[in-house]
Amino acid sequence: MQGIYIIKNTKNGKGYIGSSLSISERWAEHKRKLRLHTHFNVYLLCAWYKYGESSFDFSILQETNCSIEELRKLEGTWIAKLKSLA
């Protein structure tokens, strides 16, 4: 399934918004890199270690079937809408 997703910190309400052609694979990659302390997003990584894995929820914001370019535009729209960091 492709679309836009959010990784939300349930303790402080902040979220990381992303897009993928395969959301389930992307989420598994995020979790693996966070657990290994190799995630590229320092803010998310620090929050993951500060609050713990159980403080994060993963949810799909929008399912879609579009080109990669359109998917990236949708991601930007959601980031702006929710006033989140990428």
Side-chain angles (χ1 to χ4, degrees), residues 12-29:
N12 66 14
K14 294 181 181 181
Y16 170 93
I17 296 171
S19 62
S20 180
L21 296 175
S22 176
I23 293 174
S24 60
E25 288 178 22
R26 184 68 174 129
W27 174 234
E29 182 182 359

Side-chain angles (χ1 to χ4, degrees), residues 22-54:
S22 176
I23 293 174
S24 60
E25 288 178 22
R26 184 68 174 129
W27 174 234
E29 182 182 359
H30 278 297
K31 284 175 53 174
R32 185 179 71 253
K33 289 183 176 186
L34 287 164
R35 289 173 179 159
L36 293 173
H37 205 138
T38 60
H39 199 276
F40 67 92
N41 187 295
V42 176
Y43 298 108
L44 180 58
L45 184 62
C46 288
W48 184 270
Y49 279 93
K50 180 177 181 179
Y51 296 101
E53 183 174 345
S54 63

Side-chain angles (χ1 to χ4, degrees), residues 6-16 51 55 82 84:
I6 186 169
I7 302 170
K8 189 166 186 178
N9 183 327
T10 60
K11 301 291 184 188
N12 66 14
K14 294 181 181 181
Y16 170 93
Y51 296 101
S55 297
L82 298 179
S84 179

